Amino acid sequence: MQKSSFKKGIRKLHLWLGLSTGLIVFIISITGAIYVFQEEITNYLRKDAIYHHEANIANKQPLSLKVLEQKVDAFTNEKYPIHWVTVPIDKSRSYIFYYYERNPEGWNFYEEYFVYKSVYVNPFTGEIRGVYDETTDFFNIIKSIHYSFMLKTDWGTYVCGIPTLIFVFMLISGIILWWPKNKNARKQRFAFNWKNVKSWKRKNYDLHNILGFYVSSLAFVVAFTGLFYAFFFIQAILYFVFSGGSTTYPDFSHIQTKAPIEMRDEHTLDKIGKKVEELYPNAFQYSLDFGYEHLDDHEHPNYDVFVKQLSYSYHVNHSLIFDENSGELLHQHSHHDKNLGEKAVAANYDIHIGAIFGIWSKILALIISLVCASLPVTGFFIWWGKRNKK
């Protein structure tokens, strides 16, 4: 009797929570499915900008970053300073300079940025290969819908995060409701047997239950890694579990620039870049901040350089801290130096979008997202079918 009452209560929660958040979960899942192959599609559409086709580059030296910055500024005539540059190790690829200024007062995706623009540049000649307004990019809009419903990210993440948290409960409660009473019932829960079934209600019920069962464990991982960006306690749980119980994330904020500002010159960034490429010649790219003041008043405790090791994934990365005035290397924190908790945090994004193992895990992520999008739909029709039995 108690078991029956428990399952009845779970069924009611599953139903009403599903009806109340179903549309939001559907939108989050569909936009997630669309975004899975964002990088591949964007790289194809921008291939003429990404590759500059400069001849005989083995015998040429790239222009200094200061010179390239000046050429980019002269071409774009932007009133805001360049924020950072992404430098590929493979010099057949263009450098990408980013203008990025957030509006502290903006409340939606379009008002949140005064400028968010990428400029692709031939590093040997300074030729501008392409300029893209990232606020009008299709995939950035899809990402904003998926991440915050195009609201300001500081609080819009909760609009998506809370329904996703409910969806995690739906996955758990769904397994409880799916669990068969006996062997005969079990046979109907693992595979579709529609040979003698003509009722659309029965087929819809099987789609919801069987697909939900097979996707539930992986959907939980996708949902959990998504919640990472909305709730700090999820980040803390992830690090705590994989670090073996540590509650303190490594802190290198005490390693700071000590050299006087007079030591900084137009070649300091080039000196830093040369050291990065010397240490990680097989990496994919790294990013250098130009160090200007910005409107959102964000401050960095030190000059940190992010090095992306792989072209398809962010989970293998390195962190280097430099004296931003002298260009001296102060600290090196490579991927192999990180504890398992740090590696889990670094891998969270790639696990979420399916990039962790390349193209095959992306295909799997696409399938999972589409099935997750179907669950609110088939669940709604189960409820509708029971209310409209005729």
Side-chain angles (χ1 to χ4, degrees), residues 239 242-243 246 248 250 333 335 337-344:
Y239 182 73
F242 285 94
S243 66
S246 175
T248 305
H333 194 51
H335 175 74
D337 297 325
K338 299 177 181 179
N339 63 48
L340 193 57
E342 291 176 272
K343 291 178 180 178

Side-chain angles (χ1 to χ4, degrees), residues 272-284:
I272 292 172
K274 184 178 179 180
K275 186 63 178 180
V276 173
E277 295 185 23
E278 177 187 312
L279 292 171
Y280 300 104
N282 298 317
F284 177 65

Side-chain angles (χ1 to χ4, degrees), residues 83 253 256 289 291-292 294 297-304 324:
H83 197 140
S253 61
Q256 298 179 353
D289 194 298
Y292 297 117
H294 298 284
D297 294 324
H298 73 288
E299 293 184 4
H300 303 291
N302 48 40
Y303 192 84
D304 183 83
E324 63 181 318

Side-chain angles (χ1 to χ4, degrees), residues 59-131:
N59 298 319
K60 296 179 180 179
Q61 285 293 324
L63 299 174
S64 75
L65 289 171
K66 190 64 179 178
V67 170
L68 291 173
E69 177 195 6
Q70 291 169 349
K71 288 181 177 293
V72 171
D73 279 335
F75 185 89
T76 62
N77 200 29
E78 272 291 340
K79 66 177 181 179
Y80 301 105
I82 292 171
H83 197 140
W84 77 89
V85 59
T86 294
V87 181
I89 301 297
D90 177 4
K91 299 308 176 188
S92 68
R93 299 172 69 97
S94 300
Y95 289 13
I96 311 175
F97 289 77
Y98 288 92
Y99 293 97
Y100 183 86
E101 293 291 344
R102 292 183 72 231
N103 176 9
E105 305 301 323
W107 66 272
N108 61 50
F109 175 73
Y110 293 108
E111 290 189 2
E112 188 170 5
Y113 303 99
F114 287 116
V115 63
Y116 182 15
K117 187 179 293 184
S118 58
V119 184
Y120 292 72
V121 183
N122 180 333
F124 299 97
T125 65
E127 175 198 8
I128 308 301
R129 301 288 300 179
V131 180

Side-chain angles (χ1 to χ4, degrees), residues 111-177:
E111 290 189 2
E112 188 170 5
Y113 303 99
F114 287 116
V115 63
Y116 182 15
K117 187 179 293 184
S118 58
V119 184
Y120 292 72
V121 183
N122 180 333
F124 299 97
T125 65
E127 175 198 8
I128 308 301
R129 301 288 300 179
V131 180
Y132 299 92
D133 184 348
E134 301 295 353
T135 62
T136 62
D137 178 75
F138 171 76
F139 284 108
N140 281 332
I141 294 171
I142 289 295
K143 181 182 179 181
S144 180
I145 296 171
H146 179 80
Y147 185 71
S148 62
F149 266 22
M150 297 196 76
L151 300 171
K152 185 174 182 177
T153 53
D154 291 347
W155 50 268
T157 51
Y158 298 112
V159 177
C160 291
I162 293 171
T164 304
L165 197 59
I166 293 172
F167 179 67
V168 169
F169 169 80
M170 299 291 289
L171 291 171
I172 298 169
S173 60
I175 291 297
I176 294 172
L177 296 174

